[in-house]
Amino acid sequence: MDEVKSCSGEVLPVFAKGTVSGCSAVNGAVPSKSVWYLKVNIQSENSKTVPCPKPGQFYMLKASKSGVLLGRPVSVYGYRCISETDISVEFLILKKGKGTQELVSLENGDGIELIGPLGNFWPEPKENSRIAIFGGGIGVAPVAGFASLLPKKSYDFYAAFKSGSYGLDYIFPKKLFITTEDGSCGIKGMVTAAIDAEKLRENYDEVYACGPVPMLACIQKMCMEAGVKCYLSMENRMACGVGACLGCTISTKEGNKKCCKDGPVFDGEILDFAKIDSSVTSSRFEIKKSLPPEEEVDLSVEIAGVKFQNPVIAASGTFGYGSEYSSVFDVNELGGICSKGLTLEGRPGNKGMRLVETPSGLINSIGLENPGISHFIKNELPEMMKFKAKTIVNLSGSSLETYVEGAKLLDSTEIPMIELNISCPNVKAGGMAFGMNCDAASSVVSAVRKVTKKPLMVKLSPNAPDLNGVAMAVKEAGADAISLVNTFQAMSINVQTGRPVFENIRAGFSGPAVKPVALRMVYDLCLMMNKLPENERIPVVGLGGISCWQDAVEFIMAGASAVEVGTATFGNPFAMKEIICGIKDFMKKRGWKTLSDFKGSAL
């Protein structure tokens, strides 16, 4: 059958399921195994013609068995049209996040979902044109694919990398120039170490380039100075890849253009890099050398006078009292451990179903089951205090009186800190949580503050209509620190019975799905806190959906002094240990010695 075409005769992309026929790490990439080669066979299942890609086009790729929502846009590195219904496409993939991690973990025979080929393609060079091709980092893939189709020795090729080199196997240039920032290959320096506007003017008529935005902006500027035509392949985050979502628009002198549909290849003259760059999103960090392997970083942080060896704390309700996970890994490596939520008297918790898993989240209706504070002090606390990780006791209550009496009992112990959970329902206020309004929150914090000298960290509910107002109220009432966010209110319905799953109908939602909202709330509070005189500020501990070191770093960059990790531990018992190691490695690579080097950088 014929290719599927639009009314204007344009060949439309197809949704297809391919089969992996090769996946291996690319030699020469630094760090090792950071770039991968992926080969995919695409066969038509209904005898329709499978369109062959053209140089410069891309596909949206996603593993058939995937944990991510969106496909990832990946440029074509090479291809072979076996027949009208069978093609083989090659990609180079930079391993960056979860989606690309899935792609580079595929094995021969694994399924992969594709939409493509997408976007426009490189224009054909003019006859007898002197051509220069530039590829920066993973941007070598689309230009190398283009170069491989040109006559041998009809162009010069410039490849720029931070370190090492790769993706140059299929090119046959007249001259090859390689630059590396660290000098490990070719010329030391960026692309400007090998070319300038004067050399462009003297040697070339057309330029084709793909790479990071700063490199493309530099090439555009040189070409404009030299009067040389340039075509630049851009990239942007995408959801659909077909021009429907408008999530990948790029600023040009002709207005917004869709990177997926109008591009990715653009006439260099129309791109407006001044608008593409942003004062809000551009980096605030100076480039530093990585710390030597033998030099350690200082992960310690002090919160309300309590020093933690690192900023990672096990969240209340997810880690028991520490001993439950001590057979899984050494919990002494943690910065701190928040106890299960404790009330003055023991509680049996809620009846019926208590847990429901959702996509990227967990709804729980435990109901604060706990043995009571007196039992805890006598039995669980002695074991908690043996850990090197700092003990934080989470205090809950159903009335002002129970909070106060519980605090009195805890004040007589050696615990370093109390986390006051005011997300609990106030029975005298008709079940509304203490943390839902400023007056109620202030009253309970003030009352507890009067009966204990322990550092008091108040845990806030994200469900409060005026969260920042509540935060300022508890600060004024005597809070030494604030932790947020607690769980979001949610529910679940059993489709078989048509009735709510939980006895209490509403329950607490946590997990990776809440992280962007929790991060925004922490950011907003830290932003407000920073407007106060320095001596009036109190530390903020961020939590909500943190599952990897990148999440933790985001919260710290948003202004959090430390982070609590909860639901992630259920899915990966080693999550907190990996987060600590990840933060440490990240800091060493950036040349940072303390958390203060990047804390609050986003504010």
Side-chain angles (χ1 to χ4, degrees), residues 59 121 176 403 420 433 436 463:
Y59 286 79
F121 40 88
L176 173 62
Y403 271 114
L420 191 63
M436 290 299 284
N463 304 303

Side-chain angles (χ1 to χ4, degrees), residues 151-484:
K152 293 181 179 180
K153 300 187 181 301
S154 66
Y155 57 90
D156 289 346
F157 199 101
Y158 294 79
F161 303 94
K162 287 186 177 181
S163 184
S165 67
Y166 58 86
L168 308 176
D169 303 315
Y170 302 152
I171 66 171
F172 300 95
K174 184 178 180 181
K175 293 180 181 179
L176 173 62
F177 302 89
I178 297 176
T179 68
T180 51
E181 291 181 27
D182 64 357
S184 55
C185 284
I187 304 167
K188 184 175 182 179
M190 299 183 182
V191 69
T192 49
I195 192 75
D196 56 28
E198 186 61 32
K199 290 180 181 178
L200 275 174
R201 183 183 297 111
E202 292 174 357
N203 296 286
Y204 305 111
D205 303 308
E206 292 180 286
V207 164
Y208 298 78
C210 183
V213 168
M215 185 191 97
L216 295 182
C218 179
I219 290 173
Q220 181 205 50
K221 182 180 179 182
M222 286 192 295
C223 287
M224 292 179 72
E225 290 177 5
V228 173
K229 188 70 176 177
C230 70
Y231 300 96
L232 307 178
S233 179
M234 303 292 290
E235 66 172 8
N236 209 344
R237 297 197 177 198
M238 300 177 185
C240 68
V242 296
C245 72
L246 303 181
C248 66
T249 57
I250 286 179
S251 296
T252 77
K253 296 173 184 177
E254 299 175 357
N256 284 346
K257 297 284 186 179
K258 294 176 282 190
C259 190
C260 66
K261 195 74 173 176
D262 302 317
V265 178
F266 293 92
D267 183 329
E269 292 181 5
I270 71 168
L271 293 173
D272 190 345
F273 284 102
K275 291 183 179 179
I276 292 172
D277 192 19
S278 166
S279 60
V280 174
T281 59
S282 58
S283 177
R284 291 185 180 179
F285 301 124
E286 295 180 6
I287 297 175
K288 293 184 178 181
K289 290 184 178 180
S290 300
L291 298 180
E294 66 275 8
E295 186 171 349
E296 289 298 323
V297 298
D298 182 7
L299 292 179
S300 67
V301 60
E302 187 173 303
I303 300 172
V306 179
K307 189 169 183 178
F308 298 80
Q309 62 183 347
N310 63 64
V312 180
I313 301 168
S316 173
T318 63
F319 208 68
Y321 305 104
S323 58
E324 291 85 348
Y325 276 92
S326 60
S327 62
V328 179
F329 72 96
D330 185 3
V331 299
N332 289 298
E333 297 177 19
L334 301 178
I337 301 171
C338 286
S339 75
K340 181 76 180 73
L342 294 162
T343 52
L344 182 61
E345 303 294 338
R347 294 182 56 159
N350 292 334
K351 298 178 182 179
M353 186 78 72
R354 290 188 172 189
L355 296 174
V356 168
E357 184 181 4
T358 72
S360 295
L362 183 69
I363 308 176
N364 88 83
S365 182
I366 307 300
L368 282 174
E369 178 177 346
N370 75 95
I373 292 175
S374 294
H375 184 282
F376 165 77
I377 291 174
K378 183 179 179 181
N379 297 279
E380 288 82 14
L381 180 58
E383 295 303 312
M384 280 194 78
M385 294 294 288
K386 291 179 182 178
F387 294 123
K388 187 178 179 181
K390 295 294 184 183
T391 295
I392 303 173
V393 176
N394 183 280
L395 172 61
S396 300
S398 56
S399 68
L400 198 61
E401 294 76 15
T402 55
Y403 271 114
V404 169
E405 293 304 314
K408 286 180 180 178
L409 292 174
L410 293 173
D411 189 64
S412 64
T413 69
E414 296 299 315
I415 62 169
M417 180 179 286
I418 294 174
E419 182 179 55
L420 191 63
N421 180 3
I422 60 172
S423 301
C424 302
N426 181 352
V427 294
K428 291 185 179 179
M432 180 184 290
F434 282 95
M436 290 299 284
N437 67 69
C438 299
D439 291 340
S442 179
S443 65
V444 69
V445 173
S446 179
V448 170
R449 177 77 288 166
K450 291 176 182 178
V451 298
T452 179
K453 294 180 181 179
K454 299 292 184 185
L456 202 58
M457 179 162 66
V458 181
K459 189 172 187 178
L460 301 185
S461 168
N463 304 303
D466 180 12
L467 181 58
N468 282 357
V470 172
M472 292 298 115
V474 300
K475 183 187 80 71
E476 292 300 320
D480 299 301
I482 291 172
S483 60
L484 76 154

Side-chain angles (χ1 to χ4, degrees), residues 51-63:
C52 272
K54 294 182 179 180
Q57 291 187 302
F58 67 96
Y59 286 79
M60 299 292 288
L61 305 181
K62 185 170 76 168

